[in-house]
Amino acid sequence: MNPPRAPRSLWRHARIASFDGDRPWGWLDDGALLVEGDRIAWVGPDAALPSERLTGGGPLDEIDLGGALLTPGLIDAHTHLVYAGDRAAEFEQRLQGASYEQIARAGGGIRSTVAATRAADDEALFTLAAARARALMAEGVTTIEVKSGYGLNERDEARCLAVARRLGRELPVAVRTTSLGAHALPPEFEGRADDYIAEVCRWLPGQQAAGLVDAVDAFCDTIGFTPAQTRRVFDAARALGLPVKLHAEQLSDQGGAALAAGYRALSCDHLEHLSPAGIAAMQAAGTVAMLLPGAYYFLRDTTLPPVAALRATGVPMALASDHNPGSSPCLSLLLMLNMGCTIFRLTPEEAWRGVTVHAARALGLGDRGRIAAGLRADFVVWDAGHPRELCYRFGHNPLRRRLFGGMPD
Ligand code: NIG
Ligand code: FE
């Protein structure tokens, strides 16, 4: 019996923003893309299609895109997708003048989401997280990073990571998991943050052995953990060979970015209070700056991340939704493209690289984020002529087709 043939498809007459090579946008004006199985087999000018690649390889589905835009699938490289409850009442309190820090110090904030998450069963957590993932996917997202951090004990952290893994098994989307036990101090450890950090470090080998964790994160800030505590978590990650990333310099400058760069962190995230020394350390370590305009906007922050200095230093910038119930209850990566430009002053091309090639790098993934032969066939066809149109419009989703590993939705 013949082995089953991988599906093959040929996408012709597309405007392709490949983000590959040296050309701006990696642009191809009249491009073609050959997909074999879950990989991109060939991409180039339509006029240069290699005819020998088109015959003999099994049935070929040919689609004329008539000049529509084709881009890599979007990558949301920073989300807290698994949790129960909401923080709408806290939003109201903040509108009346309470600050995010005040609410957190009074036992609300992350802790209120922890209580709701612990009380929810696995099925409820999965149903909630799957609906959020589907909303992101409906705008062209094909890879999502999902952090734990609302369980804050051994059992509930593992449950949340397992729910994230299940999303990747049951939905047509790739999921990367990040263990964020060091997100906030749970109430049962009040006044004993060092003891809690010892617990977080103790859980990691079990999470890794169960295949639940791809990276380790912490929240290094005045309402999170100190640099010394962050180091202990990173030392435990390093001992297991797990890469690290850090919520750094969101509310104050703790020197977290330089600390994380010392561990060759994949990314430092938020960065509103990033110092020149932090930028230099990130540049030297090749660490990605993960910019999160949703949290900046929703917390009505007034200190912008140092985008011009990051650009001048050549630190790669990524852009993500930071979806979470407290600081960014946002399920639109397309809106982040717009806010990255309007609020953070990224160029449209920088914003796009931030949700594709640089987002892939922030997850340590070299097989996606660009349109190039050999990479995963994760791509999107848009009812648009140029990617800058998706930065310009907001509250608008021109998605025509989403392909995940060569398979259409
Ligand atoms: O990325 N800064 C810490 N963590 C989240 C917020 C979590 C929450 O408020 O629930 C963030 O902004
Ligand atoms: Fe976050």
Side-chain angles (χ1 to χ4, degrees), residues 11 13-20 23-33 42-48 67-70 371-372 385-387:
W11 304 76
H13 303 299
R15 294 192 170 92
I16 300 180
S18 72
F19 304 105
D20 191 49
R23 292 180 316 280
W25 304 91
W27 189 251
L28 275 169
D29 219 25
D30 182 18
L33 180 73
W42 187 90
V43 58
D46 194 274
L69 174 66
L70 189 152
I371 301 290
H386 194 281

Side-chain angles (χ1 to χ4, degrees), residues 106-239:
I110 294 174
R111 278 188 182 184
S112 71
T113 302
V114 169
T117 303
R118 287 177 176 178
D121 65 23
D122 294 0
E123 209 50 42
L125 286 175
F126 178 78
T127 302
L128 290 165
R132 296 172 190 134
R134 284 197 191 93
L136 292 169
M137 291 157 63
E139 291 193 344
V141 170
T142 48
T143 297
I144 309 178
E145 185 256 18
V146 179
K147 300 176 195 296
S148 66
Y150 293 117
L152 305 190
N153 61 36
E154 186 169 17
R155 174 175 171 273
D156 290 305
E157 283 292 294
R159 268 188 342 115
C160 291
L161 290 168
V163 165
R165 278 281 187 256
R166 185 176 161 201
L167 291 175
R169 282 198 307 275
E170 295 191 16
L171 303 180
V173 69
V175 170
R176 300 293 285 178
T177 57
T178 300
S179 179
L180 178 57
H183 193 197
L185 191 64
E188 57 274 20
F189 278 86
E190 191 61 55
R192 295 189 297 128
D194 282 322
D195 293 348
Y196 178 65
I197 289 296
E199 280 292 286
V200 169
C201 296
R202 188 179 67 73
W203 305 335
L204 283 178
Q207 291 175 353
Q208 187 186 40
L212 291 176
V213 51
D214 299 318
V216 173
D217 194 350
F219 181 27
C220 181
D221 220 309
T222 47
I223 56 166
F225 295 94
T226 65
Q229 290 159 348
T230 302
R231 273 188 192 286
R232 289 172 57 201
V233 175
F234 283 4
D235 285 336
R238 181 150 71 183

Side-chain angles (χ1 to χ4, degrees), residues 76-81 136 144-148 320-323:
D76 194 348
H78 180 142
T79 83
H80 308 246
L81 221 57
L136 292 169
I144 309 178
E145 185 256 18
V146 179
K147 300 176 195 296
S148 66
S321 72
D322 190 17
H323 175 85

